[in-house]
């Protein structure tokens, strides 16, 4: 399935998760995740303050697939109970350069169990696959104090490339982010 076929959403599965399209019915679960200021302190935007904002977020994620530089955002549904525990995605796809950016978040109660690493291994494989996005490079921008996320991408094979000074703005101030990247040939070497 090539992302160019926006009518068909790429549903992926792992041992414990189903990665599927986010739906309007997911807004309450997204609000619980994105409204948790402590869990979202490194996400790159201020916490949500209303269910209406979560409903708009579902629309934003769905809209990624219609942009000139499209992306895909998957809801992470736990197979054991059907609960939406987070989301992850590939966005800002530069087709000519065969690169994009990785983003993700997980509900606080689901953290520390390896769920995001499991989901991202599947998403990265899909992103690099010719039948997926056919990428050569996937980037992740992470706040230097976000140690769990830094450990996560390092474990997935990403390499730190440098510091982007004051590249982002949330929490009322400019934020530095570290640039990390994984190349297709490096990902294949980890398979």
């Amino acid at each position: 399935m090539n992302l160019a076929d926006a009518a068909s959403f790429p549903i992926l599965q792992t041992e414990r998760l189903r990665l599927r399209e986010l739906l309007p019915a997911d807004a309450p679960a997204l609000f619980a995740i994105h409204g948790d200021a402590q869990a979202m302190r490194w996400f790159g935007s201020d916490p949500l303050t209303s269910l209406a904002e979560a409903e708009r977020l579902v629309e934003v994620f769905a809209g990624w697939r219609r942009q000139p530089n499209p992306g895909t955002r998957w809801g992470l549904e736990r197979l054991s109970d059907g609960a939406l525990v987070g989301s992850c995605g590939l966005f800002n796809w530069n087709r000519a350069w065969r690169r994009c950016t990785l983003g993700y978040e997980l509900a606080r109660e689901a953290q520390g169990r390896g769920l995001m690493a499991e989901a991202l291994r599947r998403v990265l494989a899909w992103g690099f696959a010719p039948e997926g996005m056919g990428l050569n490079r996937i980037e992740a921008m992470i706040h230097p104090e976000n140690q769990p996320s830094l450990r996560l991408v390092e474990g997935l094979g990403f390499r730190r490339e440098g510091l982007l000074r004051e590249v982002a703005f949330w929490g009322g101030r400019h934020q530095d982010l570290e640039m990390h990247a994984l190349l297709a040939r490096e990902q294949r070497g980890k398979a």
Side-chain angles (χ1 to χ4, degrees), residues 76-129:
L76 306 181
E77 180 182 278
R78 204 167 32 211
L79 291 174
S80 63
D81 61 4
L84 184 78
V85 296
S87 76
C88 65
L90 298 169
F91 60 100
N92 289 335
W93 184 13
N94 184 322
R95 292 174 193 248
W97 290 4
R98 298 180 55 215
R99 61 146 298 275
C100 73
T101 304
L102 177 68
Y104 48 87
E105 84 287 333
L106 198 60
R108 193 181 337 189
E109 63 274 6
Q111 294 175 4
R113 297 183 175 100
L115 291 172
M116 189 56 73
E118 183 177 316
L120 293 182
R121 277 192 293 275
R122 183 67 184 96
V123 165
L124 294 170
W126 183 84
F128 287 125

Short mmCIF file of all heavy atoms in Angstrom, two decimals, residues 76-129:
data_model
loop_
_atom_site.label_atom_id
_atom_site.label_comp_id
_atom_site.label_asym_id
_atom_site.label_seq_id
_atom_site.Cartn_x
_atom_site.Cartn_y
_atom_site.Cartn_z
N LEU A 76 -2.78 3.70 18.61
CA LEU A 76 -2.24 2.47 19.17
C LEU A 76 -3.31 1.82 20.04
O LEU A 76 -3.57 2.28 21.15
CB LEU A 76 -0.98 2.75 19.99
CG LEU A 76 0.14 3.52 19.28
CD1 LEU A 76 1.34 3.70 20.20
CD2 LEU A 76 0.54 2.83 17.99
N GLU A 77 -3.91 0.78 19.51
CA GLU A 77 -4.99 0.08 20.21
C GLU A 77 -4.44 -1.20 20.81
O GLU A 77 -3.91 -2.05 20.08
CB GLU A 77 -6.11 -0.22 19.22
CG GLU A 77 -7.27 -0.95 19.81
CD GLU A 77 -8.31 -1.25 18.74
OE1 GLU A 77 -9.12 -0.35 18.42
OE2 GLU A 77 -8.29 -2.38 18.20
N ARG A 78 -4.54 -1.33 22.12
CA ARG A 78 -4.07 -2.53 22.80
C ARG A 78 -4.99 -3.70 22.43
O ARG A 78 -6.20 -3.61 22.56
CB ARG A 78 -4.06 -2.29 24.31
CG ARG A 78 -3.13 -3.15 25.08
CD ARG A 78 -2.92 -2.70 26.50
NE ARG A 78 -4.08 -2.04 27.08
CZ ARG A 78 -4.00 -1.07 27.99
NH1 ARG A 78 -2.86 -0.64 28.42
NH2 ARG A 78 -5.10 -0.53 28.48
N LEU A 79 -4.40 -4.79 21.95
CA LEU A 79 -5.19 -5.95 21.53
C LEU A 79 -5.92 -6.60 22.70
O LEU A 79 -7.02 -7.12 22.54
CB LEU A 79 -4.31 -6.99 20.83
CG LEU A 79 -3.76 -6.58 19.47
CD1 LEU A 79 -2.78 -7.63 18.95
CD2 LEU A 79 -4.88 -6.35 18.47
N SER A 80 -5.33 -6.59 23.88
CA SER A 80 -5.92 -7.29 25.02
C SER A 80 -7.26 -6.72 25.46
O SER A 80 -8.12 -7.45 25.93
CB SER A 80 -4.94 -7.29 26.20
OG SER A 80 -4.70 -5.96 26.64
N ASP A 81 -7.44 -5.38 25.30
CA ASP A 81 -8.70 -4.79 25.78
C ASP A 81 -9.29 -3.73 24.84
O ASP A 81 -10.31 -3.13 25.15
CB ASP A 81 -8.50 -4.19 27.17
CG ASP A 81 -7.46 -3.08 27.22
OD1 ASP A 81 -6.93 -2.69 26.16
OD2 ASP A 81 -7.17 -2.60 28.33
N GLY A 82 -8.66 -3.48 23.70
CA GLY A 82 -9.18 -2.50 22.74
C GLY A 82 -8.97 -1.05 23.14
O GLY A 82 -9.46 -0.15 22.47
N ALA A 83 -8.22 -0.80 24.21
CA ALA A 83 -8.00 0.58 24.67
C ALA A 83 -7.01 1.31 23.77
O ALA A 83 -6.00 0.74 23.35
CB ALA A 83 -7.48 0.57 26.10
N LEU A 84 -7.32 2.57 23.47
CA LEU A 84 -6.39 3.42 22.75
C LEU A 84 -5.40 3.96 23.77
O LEU A 84 -5.79 4.66 24.71
CB LEU A 84 -7.11 4.58 22.06
CG LEU A 84 -6.21 5.46 21.20
CD1 LEU A 84 -5.92 4.78 19.87
CD2 LEU A 84 -6.82 6.82 20.98
N VAL A 85 -4.11 3.62 23.62
CA VAL A 85 -3.10 3.99 24.61
C VAL A 85 -2.11 5.03 24.10
O VAL A 85 -1.22 5.45 24.84
CB VAL A 85 -2.35 2.75 25.15
CG1 VAL A 85 -3.30 1.83 25.89
CG2 VAL A 85 -1.63 2.01 24.03
N GLY A 86 -2.24 5.46 22.86
CA GLY A 86 -1.34 6.46 22.32
C GLY A 86 -1.47 6.54 20.82
O GLY A 86 -2.41 6.00 20.22
N SER A 87 -0.51 7.22 20.21
CA SER A 87 -0.46 7.29 18.76
C SER A 87 0.99 7.50 18.33
O SER A 87 1.85 7.88 19.12
CB SER A 87 -1.36 8.40 18.21
OG SER A 87 -0.80 9.68 18.39
N CYS A 88 1.24 7.21 17.08
CA CYS A 88 2.56 7.47 16.50
C CYS A 88 2.37 7.71 15.02
O CYS A 88 1.35 7.33 14.44
CB CYS A 88 3.54 6.32 16.76
SG CYS A 88 3.11 4.77 15.98
N GLY A 89 3.35 8.37 14.41
CA GLY A 89 3.18 8.64 13.00
C GLY A 89 4.44 9.13 12.31
O GLY A 89 5.44 9.48 12.94
N LEU A 90 4.35 9.11 11.02
CA LEU A 90 5.38 9.62 10.12
C LEU A 90 4.76 10.80 9.38
O LEU A 90 3.69 10.64 8.76
CB LEU A 90 5.82 8.53 9.14
CG LEU A 90 6.45 7.29 9.78
CD1 LEU A 90 6.59 6.17 8.75
CD2 LEU A 90 7.79 7.64 10.40
N PHE A 91 5.40 11.96 9.43
CA PHE A 91 4.81 13.15 8.82
C PHE A 91 5.88 14.02 8.18
O PHE A 91 7.06 13.72 8.27
CB PHE A 91 3.98 13.93 9.86
CG PHE A 91 4.77 14.41 11.04
CD1 PHE A 91 5.22 15.72 11.10
CD2 PHE A 91 5.06 13.56 12.09
CE1 PHE A 91 5.95 16.17 12.20
CE2 PHE A 91 5.79 14.00 13.20
CZ PHE A 91 6.23 15.31 13.23
N ASN A 92 5.43 15.10 7.52
CA ASN A 92 6.35 15.98 6.78
C ASN A 92 7.17 15.21 5.77
O ASN A 92 8.37 15.38 5.64
CB ASN A 92 7.27 16.77 7.72
CG ASN A 92 6.54 17.82 8.50
OD1 ASN A 92 5.49 18.30 8.08
ND2 ASN A 92 7.06 18.16 9.66
N TRP A 93 6.51 14.36 5.02
CA TRP A 93 7.15 13.50 4.03
C TRP A 93 7.66 14.34 2.87
O TRP A 93 6.89 14.98 2.16
CB TRP A 93 6.15 12.47 3.55
CG TRP A 93 6.67 11.45 2.58
CD1 TRP A 93 7.95 11.18 2.25
CD2 TRP A 93 5.87 10.54 1.82
NE1 TRP A 93 8.01 10.15 1.35
CE2 TRP A 93 6.74 9.74 1.06
CE3 TRP A 93 4.51 10.33 1.72
CZ2 TRP A 93 6.29 8.75 0.21
CZ3 TRP A 93 4.05 9.34 0.88
CH2 TRP A 93 4.94 8.55 0.13
N ASN A 94 8.95 14.33 2.67
CA ASN A 94 9.55 14.95 1.49
C ASN A 94 9.82 13.82 0.52
O ASN A 94 10.80 13.08 0.66
CB ASN A 94 10.84 15.69 1.87
CG ASN A 94 11.45 16.42 0.71
OD1 ASN A 94 11.43 15.94 -0.43
ND2 ASN A 94 11.99 17.59 0.98
N ARG A 95 8.92 13.64 -0.44
CA ARG A 95 9.02 12.52 -1.38
C ARG A 95 10.31 12.56 -2.18
O ARG A 95 10.93 11.53 -2.40
CB ARG A 95 7.82 12.51 -2.32
CG ARG A 95 6.52 12.20 -1.65
CD ARG A 95 5.37 12.37 -2.66
NE ARG A 95 4.09 12.39 -2.01
CZ ARG A 95 3.19 11.44 -2.15
NH1 ARG A 95 3.44 10.39 -2.89
NH2 ARG A 95 2.03 11.54 -1.55
N ALA A 96 10.69 13.75 -2.63
CA ALA A 96 11.90 13.86 -3.47
C ALA A 96 13.15 13.45 -2.69
O ALA A 96 14.05 12.83 -3.25
CB ALA A 96 12.04 15.29 -3.99
N TRP A 97 13.20 13.79 -1.43
CA TRP A 97 14.36 13.46 -0.61
C TRP A 97 14.21 12.13 0.10
O TRP A 97 15.15 11.67 0.75
CB TRP A 97 14.61 14.55 0.42
CG TRP A 97 15.11 15.85 -0.17
CD1 TRP A 97 15.28 16.17 -1.48
CD2 TRP A 97 15.49 17.00 0.58
NE1 TRP A 97 15.73 17.45 -1.62
CE2 TRP A 97 15.87 18.00 -0.35
CE3 TRP A 97 15.53 17.30 1.92
CZ2 TRP A 97 16.31 19.25 0.03
CZ3 TRP A 97 15.95 18.56 2.31
CH2 TRP A 97 16.35 19.51 1.36
N ARG A 98 13.02 11.53 0.04
CA ARG A 98 12.72 10.24 0.68
C ARG A 98 13.02 10.28 2.18
O ARG A 98 13.67 9.42 2.73
CB ARG A 98 13.47 9.11 -0.03
CG ARG A 98 13.05 8.97 -1.50
CD ARG A 98 13.78 7.87 -2.22
NE ARG A 98 13.61 6.61 -1.51
CZ ARG A 98 14.56 5.68 -1.44
NH1 ARG A 98 15.72 5.85 -2.04
NH2 ARG A 98 14.35 4.56 -0.78
N ARG A 99 12.49 11.34 2.85
CA ARG A 99 12.68 11.51 4.28
C ARG A 99 11.38 11.98 4.92
O ARG A 99 10.53 12.55 4.25
CB ARG A 99 13.81 12.48 4.61
CG ARG A 99 13.57 13.89 4.07
CD ARG A 99 14.10 15.01 4.90
NE ARG A 99 13.54 15.14 6.21
CZ ARG A 99 12.40 15.78 6.52
NH1 ARG A 99 11.67 16.33 5.59
NH2 ARG A 99 12.01 15.89 7.78
N CYS A 100 11.26 11.73 6.22
CA CYS A 100 10.13 12.25 6.97
C CYS A 100 10.50 12.32 8.45
O CYS A 100 11.62 11.98 8.84
CB CYS A 100 8.87 11.42 6.75
SG CYS A 100 8.93 9.84 7.57
N THR A 101 9.53 12.74 9.26
CA THR A 101 9.73 12.92 10.69
C THR A 101 8.84 11.96 11.45
O THR A 101 7.71 11.70 11.06
CB THR A 101 9.40 14.38 11.08
OG1 THR A 101 10.19 15.26 10.29
CG2 THR A 101 9.64 14.64 12.55
N LEU A 102 9.36 11.46 12.57
CA LEU A 102 8.65 10.54 13.44
C LEU A 102 8.11 11.29 14.65
O LEU A 102 8.81 12.14 15.21
CB LEU A 102 9.63 9.46 13.90
CG LEU A 102 9.15 8.41 14.90
CD1 LEU A 102 8.11 7.50 14.25
CD2 LEU A 102 10.33 7.59 15.40
N GLY A 103 6.89 10.97 15.06
CA GLY A 103 6.31 11.54 16.27
C GLY A 103 5.51 10.47 17.01
O GLY A 103 5.02 9.53 16.39
N TYR A 104 5.38 10.62 18.32
CA TYR A 104 4.67 9.61 19.11
C TYR A 104 4.36 10.12 20.51
O TYR A 104 5.01 11.05 21.00
CB TYR A 104 5.52 8.33 19.22
CG TYR A 104 6.95 8.56 19.60
CD1 TYR A 104 7.35 8.63 20.93
CD2 TYR A 104 7.93 8.74 18.62
CE1 TYR A 104 8.66 8.85 21.29
CE2 TYR A 104 9.26 8.96 18.97
CZ TYR A 104 9.62 9.02 20.30
OH TYR A 104 10.92 9.25 20.65
N GLU A 105 3.37 9.51 21.14
CA GLU A 105 3.07 9.75 22.54
C GLU A 105 2.30 8.56 23.08
O GLU A 105 1.65 7.83 22.33
CB GLU A 105 2.29 11.05 22.75
CG GLU A 105 0.80 10.97 22.56
CD GLU A 105 0.35 10.83 21.12
OE1 GLU A 105 1.05 11.27 20.20
OE2 GLU A 105 -0.73 10.25 20.92
N LEU A 106 2.43 8.34 24.38
CA LEU A 106 1.82 7.19 25.02
C LEU A 106 1.21 7.62 26.35
O LEU A 106 1.81 8.43 27.07
CB LEU A 106 2.91 6.13 25.27
CG LEU A 106 2.49 4.71 25.55
CD1 LEU A 106 1.69 4.11 24.40
CD2 LEU A 106 3.72 3.85 25.82
N ALA A 107 0.03 7.08 26.65
CA ALA A 107 -0.61 7.36 27.93
C ALA A 107 0.34 6.98 29.06
O ALA A 107 1.06 5.99 28.97
CB ALA A 107 -1.91 6.57 28.04
N ARG A 108 0.33 7.77 30.11
CA ARG A 108 1.27 7.54 31.22
C ARG A 108 1.13 6.13 31.79
O ARG A 108 2.12 5.47 32.08
CB ARG A 108 1.05 8.58 32.30
CG ARG A 108 2.19 8.57 33.28
CD ARG A 108 2.11 9.52 34.42
NE ARG A 108 1.28 10.70 34.25
CZ ARG A 108 1.27 11.69 35.10
NH1 ARG A 108 2.03 11.66 36.16
NH2 ARG A 108 0.49 12.73 34.92
N GLU A 109 -0.10 5.63 31.91
CA GLU A 109 -0.28 4.30 32.50
C GLU A 109 0.20 3.16 31.60
O GLU A 109 0.38 2.03 32.05
CB GLU A 109 -1.75 4.06 32.90
CG GLU A 109 -2.72 4.08 31.74
CD GLU A 109 -3.23 5.46 31.36
OE1 GLU A 109 -2.77 6.48 31.91
OE2 GLU A 109 -4.11 5.52 30.48
N ALA A 110 0.47 3.45 30.34
CA ALA A 110 0.97 2.43 29.41
C ALA A 110 2.48 2.49 29.23
O ALA A 110 3.06 1.64 28.55
CB ALA A 110 0.27 2.58 28.06
N GLN A 111 3.12 3.49 29.82
CA GLN A 111 4.56 3.67 29.65
C GLN A 111 5.34 2.62 30.44
O GLN A 111 4.85 2.06 31.41
CB GLN A 111 4.97 5.08 30.08
CG GLN A 111 4.39 6.15 29.18
CD GLN A 111 4.68 7.55 29.66
OE1 GLN A 111 5.37 7.78 30.63
NE2 GLN A 111 4.10 8.53 28.95
N GLY A 112 6.56 2.36 29.97
CA GLY A 112 7.45 1.46 30.68
C GLY A 112 7.23 -0.02 30.40
O GLY A 112 7.79 -0.87 31.08
N ARG A 113 6.44 -0.33 29.38
CA ARG A 113 6.14 -1.73 29.05
C ARG A 113 6.65 -2.14 27.67
O ARG A 113 6.35 -3.23 27.20
CB ARG A 113 4.63 -1.96 29.12
CG ARG A 113 4.07 -1.75 30.51
CD ARG A 113 2.58 -2.07 30.54
NE ARG A 113 2.10 -1.98 31.92
CZ ARG A 113 1.46 -0.93 32.41
NH1 ARG A 113 1.25 0.13 31.66
NH2 ARG A 113 1.05 -0.92 33.65
N GLY A 114 7.36 -1.24 26.99
CA GLY A 114 7.89 -1.55 25.67
C GLY A 114 6.89 -1.44 24.54
O GLY A 114 7.19 -1.83 23.41
N LEU A 115 5.70 -0.89 24.81
CA LEU A 115 4.67 -0.80 23.77
C LEU A 115 5.08 0.14 22.64
O LEU A 115 4.87 -0.17 21.46
CB LEU A 115 3.34 -0.34 24.37
CG LEU A 115 2.64 -1.34 25.28
CD1 LEU A 115 1.44 -0.69 25.96
CD2 LEU A 115 2.20 -2.57 24.48
N MET A 116 5.67 1.30 22.99
CA MET A 116 6.03 2.24 21.93
C MET A 116 7.16 1.69 21.08
O MET A 116 7.15 1.83 19.86
CB MET A 116 6.38 3.61 22.51
CG MET A 116 6.55 4.68 21.43
SD MET A 116 5.09 4.89 20.34
CE MET A 116 3.97 5.72 21.45
N ALA A 117 8.14 1.04 21.68
CA ALA A 117 9.22 0.44 20.89
C ALA A 117 8.65 -0.60 19.93
O ALA A 117 9.05 -0.66 18.76
CB ALA A 117 10.27 -0.19 21.81
N GLU A 118 7.71 -1.39 20.41
CA GLU A 118 7.06 -2.40 19.57
C GLU A 118 6.33 -1.75 18.40
O GLU A 118 6.46 -2.19 17.25
CB GLU A 118 6.08 -3.18 20.46
CG GLU A 118 5.36 -4.31 19.79
CD GLU A 118 4.47 -5.05 20.79
OE1 GLU A 118 4.90 -5.33 21.93
OE2 GLU A 118 3.32 -5.35 20.40
N ALA A 119 5.57 -0.69 18.68
CA ALA A 119 4.84 0.01 17.62
C ALA A 119 5.79 0.67 16.63
O ALA A 119 5.60 0.56 15.41
CB ALA A 119 3.91 1.05 18.24
N LEU A 120 6.82 1.33 17.14
CA LEU A 120 7.72 2.05 16.25
C LEU A 120 8.55 1.11 15.38
O LEU A 120 8.83 1.46 14.23
CB LEU A 120 8.62 2.99 17.04
CG LEU A 120 7.90 4.17 17.71
CD1 LEU A 120 8.90 5.07 18.43
CD2 LEU A 120 7.06 4.96 16.73
N ARG A 121 8.93 -0.04 15.88
CA ARG A 121 9.64 -1.00 15.01
C ARG A 121 8.78 -1.34 13.79
O ARG A 121 9.28 -1.39 12.66
CB ARG A 121 9.99 -2.27 15.78
CG ARG A 121 11.26 -2.15 16.60
CD ARG A 121 11.76 -3.48 17.13
NE ARG A 121 10.86 -4.05 18.11
CZ ARG A 121 10.88 -3.76 19.41
NH1 ARG A 121 11.78 -2.92 19.88
NH2 ARG A 121 10.02 -4.32 20.23
N ARG A 122 7.49 -1.51 14.00
CA ARG A 122 6.58 -1.84 12.89
C ARG A 122 6.41 -0.65 11.95
O ARG A 122 6.43 -0.78 10.73
CB ARG A 122 5.24 -2.31 13.46
CG ARG A 122 4.24 -2.74 12.41
CD ARG A 122 4.71 -4.01 11.70
NE ARG A 122 3.79 -4.36 10.64
CZ ARG A 122 3.96 -4.03 9.36
NH1 ARG A 122 5.03 -3.34 8.97
NH2 ARG A 122 3.08 -4.39 8.46
N VAL A 123 6.24 0.54 12.53
CA VAL A 123 6.07 1.76 11.73
C VAL A 123 7.32 2.07 10.91
O VAL A 123 7.24 2.42 9.73
CB VAL A 123 5.67 2.94 12.63
CG1 VAL A 123 5.82 4.28 11.93
CG2 VAL A 123 4.25 2.76 13.14
N LEU A 124 8.49 1.93 11.53
CA LEU A 124 9.74 2.19 10.80
C LEU A 124 9.90 1.21 9.65
O LEU A 124 10.29 1.62 8.53
CB LEU A 124 10.93 2.09 11.76
CG LEU A 124 11.00 3.15 12.85
CD1 LEU A 124 12.08 2.81 13.86
CD2 LEU A 124 11.20 4.54 12.27
N ALA A 125 9.61 -0.06 9.88
CA ALA A 125 9.70 -1.04 8.80
C ALA A 125 8.78 -0.67 7.66
O ALA A 125 9.16 -0.75 6.48
CB ALA A 125 9.38 -2.43 9.33
N TRP A 126 7.56 -0.24 7.98
CA TRP A 126 6.60 0.17 6.94
C TRP A 126 7.10 1.43 6.22
O TRP A 126 7.02 1.52 5.00
CB TRP A 126 5.23 0.44 7.57
CG TRP A 126 4.18 0.78 6.56
CD1 TRP A 126 3.43 -0.08 5.82
CD2 TRP A 126 3.76 2.10 6.18
NE1 TRP A 126 2.58 0.62 5.00
CE2 TRP A 126 2.77 1.96 5.21
CE3 TRP A 126 4.13 3.37 6.58
CZ2 TRP A 126 2.13 3.05 4.63
CZ3 TRP A 126 3.51 4.46 6.00
CH2 TRP A 126 2.52 4.28 5.03
N GLY A 127 7.65 2.38 6.96
CA GLY A 127 8.14 3.62 6.34
C GLY A 127 9.28 3.38 5.37
O GLY A 127 9.36 4.00 4.32
N PHE A 128 10.18 2.46 5.71
CA PHE A 128 11.31 2.18 4.82
C PHE A 128 10.94 1.24 3.67
O PHE A 128 11.63 1.24 2.65
CB PHE A 128 12.47 1.56 5.63
CG PHE A 128 13.18 2.54 6.52
CD1 PHE A 128 13.31 2.30 7.88
CD2 PHE A 128 13.73 3.72 6.01
CE1 PHE A 128 13.98 3.19 8.70
CE2 PHE A 128 14.39 4.63 6.83
CZ PHE A 128 14.51 4.36 8.18
N ALA A 129 9.89 0.47 3.81
CA ALA A 129 9.53 -0.53 2.79
C ALA A 129 9.06 0.15 1.50
O ALA A 129 8.33 1.14 1.54
CB ALA A 129 8.42 -1.43 3.31
#
